[in-house]
Amino acid sequence: MPTANIRVLPRVVQHLATAHPGLQLHVESALTAPLVAKVLAGTLDAAIVTGTQSLGSELAVTTLIDEPLVLVAAKKYHARLSLSLLRARPFIRFEPRTGVGQLINAFLAHTAVDVRESIVLDSLEAIVELVALDIGVAIIPRPEAARYGRGRVVWTENLGRPLSRSLVLVSRRTAGSLRRHEALTRAILATLAVVDGGAASTGRRIRKAVPA
């Protein structure tokens, strides 16, 4: 997935290449659903995706990071940043076919907020740019709000109910796949512990141990 590529993948690839010089890596970027389909088909050993209820029981799933989703708006709304802005301003929606998009859809359905959808994009960076220009408001992962919009947008986690997404590692439940799954999980968590040493500043909650 694109956000995992930006924050997680480069350092993990570096870690694996250093630890295993003979290792050959094949890396793909795609939405959650096609990546999961490739893992199930055996064309990919593993994938980092957004955890959703649609992930099947035939997959081994390990949560790597929990990230809050936030309402993000132009900086001028700092004094009245609340859920009411979702009704008052045009809504810029993240691609609903993505894992994050599915979580946002479920949240909006649960809260019965009638949004005025104006734009649908599959780029979190582009969404933040539009929000900074006051084209509308959006719901996105907090790390992306901090990465792309610091000083130009404001955000809040106060959405009336907790809303977060999990980045998870998925693999098939076969003996060989599970061994690779555990090795990849250790490499990713070790990398995140270094890269996200200041995780609290972005709201990330990094898992510290590999489940048995």
Side-chain angles (χ1 to χ4, degrees):
M1 61 184 305
T3 53
N5 288 343
I6 293 170
R7 296 198 309 273
V8 178
L9 188 59
R11 293 300 185 97
V12 170
V13 170
Q14 180 188 45
H15 177 97
L16 291 173
T18 301
H20 308 280
L23 183 67
Q24 291 186 346
L25 294 174
H26 171 76
V27 179
E28 293 187 21
S29 174
L31 300 180
T32 292
L35 286 176
V36 169
K38 289 189 175 186
V39 170
L40 289 172
T43 55
L44 285 178
D45 291 324
I48 299 174
V49 299
T50 294
T52 66
Q53 293 181 347
S54 61
L55 295 177
S57 59
E58 61 268 44
L59 291 169
V61 181
T62 300
T63 300
L64 304 171
I65 309 173
D66 293 316
E67 299 176 336
L69 299 185
V70 297
L71 171 66
V72 59
K75 192 174 181 179
K76 70 179 185 179
Y77 295 106
H78 68 92
R80 54 191 184 99
L81 186 59
S82 69
L83 200 60
S84 62
L85 277 180
L86 273 176
R87 301 180 179 90
R89 301 290 300 138
F91 183 60
I92 304 171
R93 187 186 294 270
F94 188 51
E95 169 58 60
R97 295 175 299 169
T98 64
V100 172
Q102 292 175 32
L103 293 174
I104 294 170
N105 291 347
F107 168 78
L108 294 175
H110 183 271
T111 56
V113 176
D114 186 17
V115 298
R116 293 190 290 129
E117 186 174 296
S118 61
I119 300 173
V120 178
L121 292 172
D122 63 359
S123 166
L124 292 169
E125 183 176 6
I127 288 175
V128 173
E129 289 299 320
L130 290 173
V131 169
L133 294 172
D134 196 23
I135 304 301
V137 299
I139 296 175
I140 63 173
R142 180 175 166 179
E144 272 62 51
R147 172 185 289 272
Y148 300 126
R150 188 173 299 279
R152 300 184 301 132
V153 301
V154 290
W155 58 84
T156 180
E157 294 180 38
N158 185 15
L159 300 177
R161 60 188 289 260
L163 181 60
S164 64
R165 72 97 167 256
S166 298
L167 284 179
V168 302
L169 181 71
V170 297
S171 303
R172 286 174 297 159
R173 288 187 178 276
T174 64
S177 294
L178 287 175
R179 285 194 296 270
R180 287 190 294 269
H181 183 96
E182 293 174 0
L184 276 171
T185 300
R186 287 192 293 270
I188 293 168
L189 291 177
T191 301
L192 289 172
V194 175
V195 176
D196 278 348
S201 65
T202 61
R204 296 193 190 103
R205 293 178 292 277
I206 300 170
R207 299 303 170 98
K208 300 299 184 184
V210 181

